[in-house]
Amino acid sequence: MSSARRHPVNAASVTRQVLPNGVTLLVYPNPASPSVAVGGYHAAGSVLETRGAAGLASLTAEALTRGTAGRTFLEFSQALDNVGASLSFHALTEFAALGGSALAEDLGLLLDLMADALHNPTFPDEEVERLRDQTLTAIAQVEDRPSARAARRFRELLYGPDTPNGWPEEGYARTVARLTAGDLRDFHARAYAPATLTLAVVGAVDPERAAELAAATVGTWNAAPAAVSREGWGRALRGADGASAPAEPQRDDLTIAGKTQTEFLLGWLGLRRADPTYYAAIAANFILGQLGLGGRIGDNVRDTQGLAYHASSYMDAGLTRQPWTLRAGVNPANVDRAIAACRHEVQRLMDTPPGADELQLTKRALIGSLPLRLERNSGVARTLLGMERHGLGLDYLDEFPARVESLTPEAVRQALVTVMSSPNSTLVTAGPDLAASG
Amino acid sequence: MGVDDVREHGLANGLAVLTREVRTAPIVTFFVWYRVGARNEPAGMSGASHWVEHMMFKRTERLAPGDIGRMVEGVGGTFNAFTYEDATAYHETLPVEHVDLALAIESDRMANAVFDPGDVESERTVIISEREGNEASPMFLLMEALEAEAFRVHPYGHGVIGSKADLRAMSRDDLFEHYRRYYGPNNAVVVMVGDIAADDALARVERSFGGLPAIEPPPPMAVREPRQRAARRVEVRHPGPFPMLALCHHVPERAHADYAALLVLNALLSGPPSGPFGGGGTLHTSRLYRRFVASGLAAAVHADVGSNIDPALHRILVVLKPGGAPDPVEAAVLDEVRRLHDEAPGEDELARVIRQTRAKRAIALESVTAQAVQLGMLEMCAGWRRALTLADDMQRVTPADVQRAARTYLCEPQRVTGWFLPAAGPGAAAGNGAPARRRAAGARAVSG
């Protein structure tokens, strides 16, 4: 891998501008593609909702396309479907996101529909009621799926009840059932504002044309008087980031009727994206639970012991501290063995830094996989938005190889120690009754 | 992507090679497709093809378990494999300067996998774990019971991952024999798409695979499902969150002249095909979404049409709200089927379907991996050219063709109706332990 070769997505090829109403616009032209992808993020995540209204941000985002001042839900859908375009909105904890795609000639239409949904949603009672029913069905499905149920409970235990990081983005059946169209209108008025919106347009369009189209659509949006500012969003994020690591080990075993396999998550409160140890942590995570079929954990739990089909580790890092977890799905009789194997692999990497060969392989994998992640327009858009959200700069992809190359074995070991040396881990299992399984 | 963009070659040992130059990124994707899947498994061997796929990540004379991952990811590449009813595929996507690595791995394991007995035993429990993970899904339980009912003779009724009984009983030698019978250059197709010239690609394939001897041609799969003459029903009562309906009809194989009309029919019901299988996302303007979800009658709906070597199923799947009443939903689905019998769709409706299909496919085919999947999967069941002419084939379909296809195939004697009904207690799923159709089983947890 030549570090001298400049990454094609860089400060010279990406156009960044802030429209007069505060919308940030990133454009990367990809003339080889027949299509365009639009992505975006903004403040309206569940970080702006309360626990009693858990799911409000999510339901509001999903309802944006269900009727606007100028279009019914059917008309809105027809405008998209007639040209094979797609557009959707959803809320995560830290922010709300949007994504769409269309043939290049339909970019103007896509941006127009996106602006209509953001500016002028009407939240018709009947549509909100149907969407709420669909959400309640989806929540019932989460409660039946061992992996999803375990993940939800894990966050509740890890963060506690007082931060949006501790409750599910889609909410609980009891909170969603109470949400009304009026709640959604109020949330829209205070959580949606052009000043917190960042858009990325990637594909067969030149930057000037994309800017003209954006100015004529999202550029005409004026915020409601009470709408959240960037500062207000920042305060909400800092409030959500106040969780401290659990003071003692936690474990919960959930029984779900009719299942044959147990899913577990074992984890710790991890890092923010801005944490200086982030790069060492992604290398540590790759070695521990990603390389090949699940890294060292996969080697041990899957290949050597034959206990699980999937066994791996995941490290999230956001604007707030996110979990670092080890996960597997195993026969209930093997839960303790698999958990012990995961703990053993964590301890082994905390005790002994990775070997030079293992680390070199990891570096080559992390650096070399960049072109694959940026092959599709939507992948480029996602990457640009992440760079903007975390303040990484438009030359981030050029700088990434050097950051990874500079990692030492000890830095990688230390990243794991920083997060996982605490004895106060959080463990959740979900599946058949473990007591009955012996 | 047009027919002229793809080059087709054949090596002396019978290996077929398809290449396509795509210069948008400095990467290449390399696939080997073997003509073996659940379809080729006799009684007692259900799951053998998928298990063999897992063994391909273990030992060859040169490679040890884990080596393939380290080699491919060590150059920034990705790799995976999947098995489905008709075929098994292995692939690597990697920076173009490392393409020979993919060729070396695939030519080695085409001939030299050793099936170490210890590896076979540890993988037996891994695959049983994969199956038990699938069993957490009510849709899996419903479809395995339904397919067992729909295909009483043909191996499509026993699915891909295999029954637990077979997975416990199969021996190392059974698996090795399955491997030796089906893995060889004359039962495989290479598909290479990316930043490489066709001549260069072919020369490299010749160097890596040209020396492998052809195998005895595998036995043809001659089993045919007898024509179903009366509607069938299956009910699965098991703990679960909500009722689900699968209303299925037997439809012809992918290469059949009526298949394009069935794709159009399905696009009206649910949405245009965006991937290689005969289905895509459910559009909000589709007939089924309007009838079931927009009206509040159900929570979700989807339809697709099987894309296989042998006759398969068209499926309409409806997820009810928790506590939802089954009877009105089934009656409404049958009403939508009747509407297809009674009214030919409008020309404008068909024109919209074609526009949607062209746009969705252009977007879906941005990546080299997606292009290689399209070419390979169609080559397995109906010839690779159909991957490229799909929208044109659909455009030739007339409203009368759609109506005729509905009357011919979506008719009562060809119907298999399946219900998943939530039940208290441990319950018991009907069926024989076969997996859901089109849930391709993979070596990694990302498939399906």
Side-chain angles (χ1 to χ4, degrees):
Chain A
M1 176 57 55
S2 162
S3 56
R5 191 166 70 192
R6 194 155 191 216
H7 196 282
V9 179
N10 59 48
S13 61
V14 177
T15 306
R16 181 186 185 281
Q17 59 181 294
V18 179
L19 306 182
N21 65 348
V23 172
T24 302
L25 177 68
L26 302 158
V27 184
Y28 176 71
N30 174 13
S33 164
S35 66
V36 283
V38 175
Y41 68 88
H42 55 125
S46 55
V47 71
L48 298 182
E49 71 189 18
T50 61
R51 180 176 173 78
L56 174 59
S58 175
L59 198 63
T60 304
E62 304 267 348
L64 293 175
T65 58
R66 304 281 160 144
T68 68
R71 294 177 174 101
T72 64
F73 175 35
L74 180 59
E75 288 165 347
F76 196 98
S77 303
Q78 283 169 336
L80 284 168
D81 288 352
N82 282 346
V83 297
S86 64
L87 176 64
S88 64
F89 297 82
H90 64 279
L92 304 171
T93 300
E94 296 177 343
F95 55 89
L98 62 90
S101 60
L103 292 178
E105 69 250 33
D106 297 318
L107 175 62
L109 173 71
L110 186 62
L111 289 173
D112 183 49
L113 289 166
M114 188 189 75
D116 194 26
L118 288 168
H119 306 185
N120 309 313
T122 51
F123 303 108
D125 288 345
E126 198 178 51
E127 296 296 346
V128 170
E129 190 182 326
R130 283 181 192 144
L131 197 54
R132 191 177 50 218
D133 282 351
Q134 290 164 30
T135 305
L136 290 170
T137 304
I139 290 170
Q141 191 165 26
V142 166
E143 289 172 355
D144 183 63
R145 276 177 51 213
S147 56
R149 180 90 177 273
R152 191 175 86 175
R153 183 66 182 140
F154 176 84
R155 293 187 77 94
E156 290 171 348
L157 284 179
L158 184 71
Y159 289 102
D162 299 325
T163 158
N165 272 316
W167 64 75
E169 290 133 4
E170 71 275 14
Y172 297 101
R174 65 178 182 279
T175 58
V176 171
R178 288 199 300 262
L179 296 174
T180 65
D183 296 330
L184 272 58
R185 285 186 203 107
D186 292 346
F187 186 77
H188 178 262
R190 73 183 166 84
Y192 283 71
T196 75
L197 175 63
T198 298
L199 284 180
V201 177
V202 178
V205 61
D206 73 63
E208 285 178 14
R209 178 68 183 146
E212 280 170 25
L213 291 171
T217 53
V218 288
T220 65
W221 181 17
N222 294 310
V228 67
S229 62
R230 279 188 178 267
E231 293 71 27
W233 182 18
R235 277 193 299 278
L237 286 166
R238 284 192 293 281
D241 202 18
S244 51
E248 55 187 22
Q250 310 184 86
R251 174 167 182 162
D252 199 357
D253 297 304
L254 307 173
T255 299
I256 307 179
K259 306 303 176 192
T260 46
Q261 181 158 277
T262 301
E263 297 279 341
F264 72 79
L265 274 88
L266 167 66
W268 290 261
L269 188 58
L271 305 175
R272 298 178 193 91
R273 177 62 182 80
D275 194 303
T277 59
Y278 172 79
Y279 296 94
I282 56 172
N285 185 58
F286 191 79
I287 291 166
L288 183 65
Q290 290 290 318
L291 170 64
L293 300 177
R296 292 184 179 188
I297 287 171
D299 284 349
N300 186 329
V301 176
R302 177 180 163 139
D303 280 348
T304 305
Q305 300 200 59
L307 295 178
Y309 172 59
H310 75 94
S312 47
S313 69
Y314 297 88
M315 192 206 68
D316 295 331
L319 296 164
T320 60
R321 290 179 71 185
Q322 294 298 311
W324 194 344
T325 54
L326 321 177
R327 306 175 188 190
V330 296
N331 185 283
N334 295 327
V335 167
D336 290 341
R337 258 174 80 192
I339 292 169
C342 288
R343 289 193 185 278
H344 170 77
E345 293 303 336
V346 168
Q347 193 61 50
R348 194 159 72 87
L349 191 54
M350 288 201 301
D351 290 345
T352 310
D357 287 354
E358 195 176 21
L359 182 56
Q360 191 55 36
L361 182 106
T362 298
K363 290 176 178 180
R364 290 203 310 262
L366 294 174
I367 295 167
S369 61
L370 276 182
L372 271 62
R373 285 192 272 143
L374 298 171
E375 190 198 356
R376 299 180 71 104
N377 290 332
S378 54
V380 175
R382 240 188 335 269
T383 301
L384 289 176
L385 292 168
M387 286 156 54
E388 177 73 16
R389 192 164 56 247
H390 297 294
L392 304 174
L394 294 177
D395 277 328
Y396 167 71
L397 294 172
D398 258 356
E399 296 160 5
F400 180 81
R403 289 179 194 271
V404 172
E405 286 291 1
S406 69
L407 294 172
T408 64
E410 176 56 21
V412 172
R413 185 191 75 84
Q414 193 59 45
L416 203 67
V417 169
T418 302
V419 172
M420 297 197 186
S421 60
S422 165
N424 302 326
S425 59
T426 297
L427 172 63
V428 177
T429 73
D433 184 352
L434 285 183
S437 305
Chain B
M1 182 161 72
V3 172
D4 296 342
D5 298 337
V6 178
R7 295 260 308 263
E8 186 177 24
H9 323 267
L11 267 51
N13 59 10
L15 182 68
V17 185
L18 300 172
T19 60
R20 179 166 195 261
E21 275 182 57
V22 177
R23 300 292 190 175
T24 50
I27 60 177
V28 66
T29 192
F30 185 82
F31 271 78
V32 182
W33 297 78
Y34 292 95
R35 297 184 190 276
V36 57
R39 172 178 185 275
N40 305 95
E41 293 162 357
M45 289 279 285
S46 69
S49 305
H50 172 241
W51 195 340
V52 165
E53 175 223 304
H54 275 234
M55 298 312 298
M56 292 295 102
F57 292 87
K58 295 296 189 182
R59 241 170 274 272
T60 71
E61 286 157 17
R62 275 186 287 177
L63 298 175
D67 281 356
I68 290 172
R70 280 186 282 275
M71 291 161 72
V72 176
E73 292 185 349
V75 299
T78 60
F79 67 99
N80 212 332
F82 54 89
T83 307
Y84 62 104
E85 296 91 339
D86 296 339
T88 308
Y90 302 82
H91 60 99
E92 293 80 25
T93 302
L94 64 188
V96 64
E97 62 267 31
H98 298 293
V99 65
D100 285 340
L101 179 61
L103 278 82
I105 290 167
E106 295 306 344
S107 58
D108 183 33
R109 63 181 168 182
M110 181 178 278
N112 302 321
V114 296
F115 286 67
D116 172 84
D119 291 342
V120 169
E121 286 316 305
S122 87
E123 214 55 24
R124 186 190 305 276
T125 48
V126 166
I127 292 171
I128 289 173
S129 171
E130 183 178 357
R131 197 197 137 81
E132 290 181 342
N134 291 348
E135 289 168 3
S137 159
M139 184 57 82
F140 173 88
L141 299 177
L142 173 58
M143 288 314 300
E144 78 170 354
L146 188 146
E147 285 164 0
E149 192 62 29
F151 298 101
R152 293 178 177 173
V153 175
H154 193 284
Y156 286 170
H158 75 222
V160 177
I161 202 166
S163 72
K164 256 188 196 170
D166 288 355
L167 294 174
R168 289 192 179 116
M170 254 180 290
S171 70
R172 179 266 173 200
D173 289 350
D174 293 335
L175 294 166
F176 191 64
E177 192 180 327
H178 195 70
Y179 166 66
R180 300 299 288 189
R181 182 173 299 150
Y182 290 102
Y183 280 59
N186 46 327
N187 196 43
V189 178
V190 159
V191 182
M192 198 178 335
V193 178
D195 190 12
I196 185 166
D199 291 344
D200 185 12
L202 184 60
R204 289 170 194 263
V205 173
E206 179 72 55
R207 274 201 299 278
S208 293
F209 289 84
L212 297 178
I215 57 170
E216 188 72 23
M221 212 297 281
V223 179
R224 293 290 172 268
E225 183 70 21
R227 184 173 174 80
Q228 180 177 312
R229 300 194 182 280
R232 299 173 186 169
R233 288 186 82 83
V234 59
E235 281 188 7
V236 176
R237 293 176 185 272
H238 191 82
F242 34 64
M244 291 188 296
L245 167 65
L247 193 98
C248 301
H249 294 91
H250 289 273
V251 291
E253 66 279 7
R254 180 66 180 81
H256 194 280
D258 286 341
Y259 192 83
L262 287 163
L263 278 181
V264 172
L265 176 156
N266 193 67
L268 295 172
L269 287 177
S270 180
S274 54
F277 294 123
T282 304
L283 298 186
H284 290 162
T285 52
S286 64
R287 290 186 180 187
L288 292 177
Y289 187 91
R290 302 306 308 164
R291 176 74 181 255
F292 291 93
V293 186
S295 71
L297 187 57
V301 67
H302 175 76
D304 55 33
V305 47
S307 173
N308 291 92
I309 294 175
D310 296 322
L313 293 176
H314 178 266
R315 315 190 299 178
I316 297 175
L317 308 171
V318 188
V319 174
L320 277 65
K321 293 183 264 192
D327 289 348
V329 169
E330 186 170 332
V333 174
L334 292 174
D335 192 48
E336 283 299 323
V337 171
R338 237 184 336 265
R339 185 180 161 201
L340 289 165
H341 292 198
D342 294 345
E343 304 165 21
E347 294 277 3
D348 55 336
E349 226 180 339
L350 293 202
R352 188 166 63 245
V353 161
I354 301 305
R355 274 202 308 277
Q356 291 167 347
T357 301
R358 291 191 190 283
K360 294 282 185 199
R361 287 177 63 76
I363 295 162
L365 291 176
E366 271 176 22
S367 81
V368 291
T369 306
Q371 293 179 27
V373 169
Q374 287 272 325
L375 289 170
M377 202 162 268
L378 267 295
E379 175 59 19
M380 288 300 105
C381 62
W384 60 268
R385 285 179 177 79
R386 285 176 199 263
L388 311 177
T389 59
L390 183 139
D392 296 336
D393 294 344
M394 288 172 66
Q395 190 155 8
R396 281 191 287 275
V397 171
T398 66
D401 292 336
V402 176
Q403 190 174 24
R404 186 180 48 77
R407 288 175 174 174
T408 307
Y409 302 111
L410 273 60
C411 57
E412 209 252 340
Q414 294 295 300
R415 184 171 302 148
V416 187
T417 305
W419 274 101
F420 177 90
L421 298 169
N432 66 350
R437 174 162 74 73
R438 272 208 283 295
R439 295 298 163 91
R444 309 181 83 186
V446 294
S447 63

